[in-house]
Amino acid sequence: MARNFFIGGNWKMNGSVSTVKTLVDMLNGFSIPAGTEVVVAPPALYVDRVRQQLKKEYGVAAQNSYVKASGAYTGEISPEMLKDIDVDWVILGHSERREYFKESDEFVGQKTAYALNAGVSVIACIGEKLEERESNKTTEVVTRQLKAIADEIKDWSNVVVAYEPVWAIGTGKVATPEQAEEVHATLRKWLADNVSKDVADKTRIIYGGSVKGSNAAELAKKENIDGFLVGGASLQNDFLTICAARI
Ligand code: PEP
């Protein structure tokens, strides 16, 4: 089944007014290929500025959101606030949030459900650590993380699943196309068996972990790889090569 290709750019905690302008100019000068959707995720402070300056063909995402609309939750932002500034996406469950901010599978599931109910689409990240892969726990870990999301939501039409092996994030060690495809196929089968065949067919499952212009086209050829979540390379011109990986 044909699924639109999806490229996410996760800028993480990088940038300044000046470098954000450079990135926005770079993106505005690029024509997104037909059949590809591109969403960039600036740091929270710059999300509003990027949404106002970037062409509407691009989506903009926050890198996190909370499970309340407003209130005494210092430091948090709500999906309702994102909607208020026309930001339609949020990245949830990134491994850096799970690791450094101790976000549990359950909390990621709750945040996913809350954002979707508020009308914000979700890039939901899952992925195993190196020691989990080496002890053959990859399937157990990624299906546990996916189940925690499935337990909280009914409608998958605004969810993109990002498979991001933690050992490949920011390390330069990209998963081989075969390693990534194996996990993506497992995740799609899990969705077919535990949610529905329709959801399995339609949900984009994207790969993240040291994707670059030089390795994106090979990964993009795999049947179950529907795009990429890109960290480091999303801050460079190379991102445009990745956006064109499935031409
Ligand atoms: C990420 O942060 O989601 C990511 C995949 O980072 P990088 O591309 O730098 O490995």
Side-chain angles (χ1 to χ4, degrees):
M1 121 143 257
R3 292 174 289 268
N4 262 1
F5 213 56
F6 185 100
I7 309 289
N10 177 11
W11 298 358
K12 310 196 189 195
M13 196 178 74
N14 291 298
S16 61
V17 168
S18 154
T19 63
V20 163
K21 181 175 184 318
T22 303
L23 281 173
V24 167
D25 289 347
M26 174 189 91
L27 293 165
N28 282 344
F30 176 73
S31 296
I32 301 173
T36 295
E37 184 175 359
V38 183
V39 174
V40 294
L45 191 65
Y46 301 120
V47 164
D48 190 21
R49 170 188 301 265
V50 170
R51 179 61 292 169
Q52 289 188 44
Q53 296 176 357
L54 200 56
K55 301 196 282 200
K56 294 298 171 225
E57 291 94 310
Y58 289 98
V60 175
Q63 297 174 14
N64 188 25
S65 63
Y66 196 52
V67 291
K68 301 278 181 186
S70 62
Y73 305 101
T74 303
E76 295 295 323
I77 55 174
S78 71
E80 288 83 351
M81 290 169 171
L82 296 175
K83 288 297 286 182
D84 190 37
I85 57 162
D86 295 327
V87 167
D88 293 327
W89 285 91
V90 63
I91 298 173
L92 293 174
H94 192 279
S95 63
E96 288 150 17
R97 302 248 17 123
R98 292 177 188 264
E99 179 73 13
Y100 304 136
F101 304 99
K102 307 292 170 227
E103 293 193 5
S104 66
D105 295 343
E106 292 70 27
F107 191 41
V108 173
Q110 288 158 14
K111 293 210 292 187
T112 301
Y114 191 91
L116 293 174
N117 286 337
V120 175
S121 300
V122 175
I123 302 167
C125 303
I126 60 177
E128 83 286 1
K129 297 180 187 171
L130 182 61
E131 61 269 28
E132 292 166 336
R133 173 161 282 262
E134 287 176 344
S135 52
N136 290 321
K137 291 203 172 121
T138 298
T139 299
E140 180 187 323
V141 170
V142 296
T143 57
R144 186 197 73 220
Q145 293 170 331
L146 191 58
K147 180 176 184 302
I149 294 164
D151 284 348
E152 298 286 340
I153 70 170
K154 289 201 168 57
D155 182 359
W156 286 76
S157 48
N158 295 315
V159 178
V160 169
V161 175
Y163 167 58
E164 300 206 295
V166 180
W167 48 270
I169 296 181
T171 59
K173 278 191 218 160
V174 64
T176 64
E178 292 69 31
Q179 281 175 319
E181 172 64 15
E182 186 183 15
V183 179
H184 284 230
T186 300
L187 293 169
R188 203 173 301 289
K189 182 169 183 329
W190 190 92
L191 287 173
D193 293 346
N194 295 279
V195 182
S196 73
K197 170 90 171 56
D198 187 55
V199 165
D201 284 345
K202 290 184 177 153
T203 302
R204 268 92 53 92
I205 305 177
I206 64 174
Y207 167 79
S210 298
V211 174
K212 299 186 189 64
S214 55
N215 56 33
E218 277 307 304
L219 287 156
K221 285 184 190 152
K222 291 292 178 190
E223 186 187 341
N224 287 291
I225 299 181
D226 303 315
F228 305 114
L229 185 55
V230 184
S234 71
L235 300 166
Q236 299 164 2
N237 288 340
D238 202 29
F239 188 62
L240 304 183
T241 307
I242 298 168
C243 290
R246 207 183 61 166
I247 293 178

